[in-house]
Amino acid sequence: MTQELVTVTIEGAQVQVPKGTTIIEAAKQAGILVPHYCYHPSLPAPAVCRMCLVEVEKAPKLLPACVTAVAEGQVVHVSSERAKKARTGVLEFLLINHPLDCPICDQSGECELQDYTFQEGRAATRYRDYPKRYNPVEDFGPDILYVTNRCILCTRCVRFMDDVAKSAVLNVSERGDRAFIGIAEEQLLDHPWSGNVVDLCPVGSLISKDFLHKARAWELDKTASICTGCSQGCNITIETRDDAVVRLKPRPNMDVNRHFMCDTGRLDYRWMNRGDRIEAPLLRQGTKAVATDWDTALDRLGQLTGGSGRAVILASGRASVESLGLVRAMLDGFDVTAAVRVPTGPEAPLAGIPNLALRSERAPNVHGAERLGYTRDWAGALNAAGTADLVVVLDASLDAEEEQRLQEVKGALVVLGTVVADFHHRAELVLPVTTMAEENGVYVNRDGRAQRYMQARNQAGMARPSWWIAGEVLAGPGPDADAPATAAQAFEDVGRRYPAFADLSHQSLGWVGQTLRETAGTAR
Amino acid sequence: MGFPHPSHPGETVVLSKHFGDAGARTHAGWVERGGYEGLRKALGMTPEAIIEVVKASGLRGRGGAGFPTGLKWSFMPKDDGKPHYLVCNADESEPGTFKDREIMRWTPHALIEGCAIGAFAMGVERCYIYIRGEFTEPWAVMAEAVREAYAAGTLGDNAMGSGKPIHITLHRGAGAYICGEETALMNSIEGRRGNPRIKPPFPAAAGLFAMPTTINNVETLAAVPHILVRGAEWYKSLCKGNPKSTGTKLISVCGHVQRPGNYEVMLGTPMKELLYDMCGGMRPGRTLKAVIPGGSSVPIMTAEEAESALLDYEGLIEKGSMLGSAGMIVMDDSTDMVYQIMRLARFYAHESCAQCTQCREGTAWTTRILERILSGKGKESDFDLLLDLADNMTGTTICVLSDSCAAPVVSGIRKFRGEFEAYIRRERAPVLELA
């Protein structure tokens, strides 16, 4: 079925868009931003802020671009004198009761009211003779404050809760310029996805307590990443200040998470900043573990993995496709039992968006691991570890009983770890590896979609990605060895070894990922 | 008639014939007075024929916009398999307007009959009558009348024994002016906040409960039975001015006239005749200064404009104003125009639904400027500011509440600038003290 296209001219640029497209979306296609507040592509459009009024030739009035569908031959002016005057007027009205407390406002620097006012607002106010409206700050929920005075009543938050979360706890209370966002009596804004209202708020009215006064927006470095909270694979941005992760934000991906992420994922970043990291390779010498250099450590690892017999890999569900694939390949001489740990929790769907939920599988790469020959049979793998000739722990977090069992294994124990644990005393080798925030890599979500994440902060000490360690061992010793030097190369190496990832590259996955072809027998 | 005053010979009494006649309130009393003949006749006609008669009569919406009623009815889709609705807008809240209140108080069955005819003509599943929250007495009268109409079999699954179902439900508002705007009214019936909706979609495509809906004013529907009984030609003949404005219109006159009240006149009647003959003119020693002819939302007219205007849709547009709901506010030379305009602005600032930025902030800001001028702190620059705000508030919002606030400011400054200047130049003592 082909969609009927209409041709419109926006700011002199001709675009062809499907019939029914709104002017604001057609303008995007032409590379033109129509300033707006209440409109959001993942919410129903109410056309209340009136910021997106544009001049359409032959229409007597200015029309709201967010709800007006394009028509064949339409000529739209976004920057005509009339449209500009209307926007300047709206900005002036929005500002008369806005506190201008930008110096202490978390939104400052990423505020749409600031941005558009700089572009087209009045240089000075004409509202000089009256006090601004005052209302106290409200505590809306576990992580959300409502700074009433800054609110521009765009109602994005109300519509998110009504139409997307389907939990109508927010409302517009009162009328006229006394209006504010109200919360239902005896209710809290504690829906598992409620943090999205902070992102949706175009000004600093709904703010996160977790992020409160942590950083100014312009101090943040932003890195495209994937949430590690569950197997949904929400696309996110990791935001760092001076190399510390201070905030996670959803990154739009229309096929995975649209513009949203859940609060569990949003607040799950403190482990990325842990200071108790393993910073150098530790080699067992008698009863002691001594810090050593990578050459020595890799030589020892080569000896250990050069043997044969039975090997067990106990891996974290957060390990990348690259690391899981190459670490398993490194043990090719053995009869390998490999498992990933999959923590579980209650599922929390976002009712208004199909196929979007906080999943009960609370690990980002379980489905990637399964395609690389890992199973979820954690207990079985632990049992097998007891008598195996070689046990490799790939950054798996273990409880006290599991750690005890690992202290009692008969074979050699190798740990590729991020933080120190007691059972490491028993290991032949403890190798410092990067967290996902410190490396590039690929995860496969529950729908078989392979998605890239990028390095957001520097690695701790001498830590290296696990794929680098395995790649070095696989290539053998010596300066001429052809080991992968980047995650992209490691990924292609995995593709040569595992059919599920054949013919893919970081480049082909792009920024939104790609669904894997299902191959018969996902492991090789 | 100018109830509670006796009818004036200049009036053409159709809708108001039984105002003040308590016997007309009951079902039996209404039938005795010839009521429900229009509905009986309609039930024997085809829906298309009824719509044709209403079209031919030239009846236009009495709520303010003046849209041809028959044409509106014909917009309802046919055989689309969806439930259709008729909504009667009885949320009469426009300052200066009190005609629908009297229709419901004295002749509730006239409205029920009109609703029933409309419901049958448009094949609606149910007619909702949305009654203003503050209308306690009309509400009680209407509730009793609907109960009686069901008990008498006039309404129900077998209306008047015709085998056809006609159902009416009353819905009571909660006191928001904006719920008189037709789409806000529908939101209110649905249990939502009474905010106007974006159009399109128009109600005939997706109105109440997102189904095809027609919404008519009380006075419009109350006129329909008379048209069916006495014919479209008769109704069309009730015209003194422009032939596009036919029938009688209830004019609610309040303010500085000797006899305020509702007056029913043929459209096209000179306003001078209404003011000076029927209403008895100004109070002794006073002269006319200004008239707001169509409810508070229409531009203010000067005495000269008012005295030369004809009371019909076209006549008032010609004089720069509108017939609107015909709630006429008459002001004599004792009136402080700046104060009156501030009161209007304050009303709109209070009633703005707060959706659109220009309206939410603009109505309140406009009010504050006017209050400041009245407190003796006005500036010459306030003229430009008020007019620029009014320009930003006009034609830029979802509904016309914002425009309605701007209109009297613009017409007030244009026509009564001297009164503003008197405050601004401190020639006149301040009348307000700002907190």
Side-chain angles (χ1 to χ4, degrees), chain A residues 293-324:
Chain A
D293 57 66
W294 272 112
D295 283 346
T296 312
L298 289 172
D299 281 348
R300 178 70 183 129
L301 183 59
Q303 289 165 12
L304 290 167
T305 57
S308 63
R310 290 191 299 113
V312 170
I313 309 174
L314 297 167
S316 161
R318 251 185 220 153
S320 67
V321 163
E322 292 84 347
S323 293
L324 291 166

Side-chain angles (χ1 to χ4, degrees), chain A residues 293-451:
Chain A
D293 57 66
W294 272 112
D295 283 346
T296 312
L298 289 172
D299 281 348
R300 178 70 183 129
L301 183 59
Q303 289 165 12
L304 290 167
T305 57
S308 63
R310 290 191 299 113
V312 170
I313 309 174
L314 297 167
S316 161
R318 251 185 220 153
S320 67
V321 163
E322 292 84 347
S323 293
L324 291 166
L326 293 188
V327 166
R328 190 173 186 281
M330 174 176 78
L331 302 179
D332 261 356
F334 292 82
D335 173 12
V336 178
T337 302
V340 277
R341 168 152 226 183
V342 189
T344 55
E347 188 134 328
L350 184 58
I353 309 283
N355 196 30
L356 180 55
L358 166 62
R359 302 297 177 179
S360 58
E361 299 169 335
R362 298 289 171 83
N365 200 25
V366 190
H367 297 268
E370 285 181 330
R371 285 167 171 80
L372 295 163
Y374 291 73
T375 71
R376 299 168 190 236
D377 184 9
W378 187 255
L382 258 179
N383 285 339
T387 55
D389 299 290
L390 177 62
V391 178
V392 176
V393 177
L394 177 45
D395 197 28
S397 54
L398 304 167
D399 63 29
E401 190 220 321
E402 290 165 344
E403 289 193 7
Q404 184 59 38
R405 288 177 65 180
L406 284 182
Q407 303 221 27
E408 293 157 9
V409 297
K410 295 209 171 70
L413 178 64
V414 173
V415 175
L416 287 79
T418 52
V419 293
V420 185
D422 278 350
F423 76 96
H424 292 179
H425 295 301
R426 168 67 184 74
E428 286 301 312
L429 259 181
V430 177
L431 301 175
V433 297
T434 48
T435 66
M436 64 82 67
E438 298 161 358
E439 63 184 24
N440 293 347
V442 170
Y443 286 152
V444 178
N445 81 352
R446 64 195 302 277
D447 297 319
R449 189 185 192 88
Q451 306 187 102

Side-chain angles (χ1 to χ4, degrees), chain B residues 344-363:
Chain B
L344 289 176
R346 188 189 273 174
F347 170 79
Y348 289 111
H350 186 261
E351 296 295 343
S352 165
C353 85
Q355 274 195 113
C356 300
T357 307
Q358 292 92 335
C359 180
R360 178 180 69 239
E361 306 293 344
T363 53

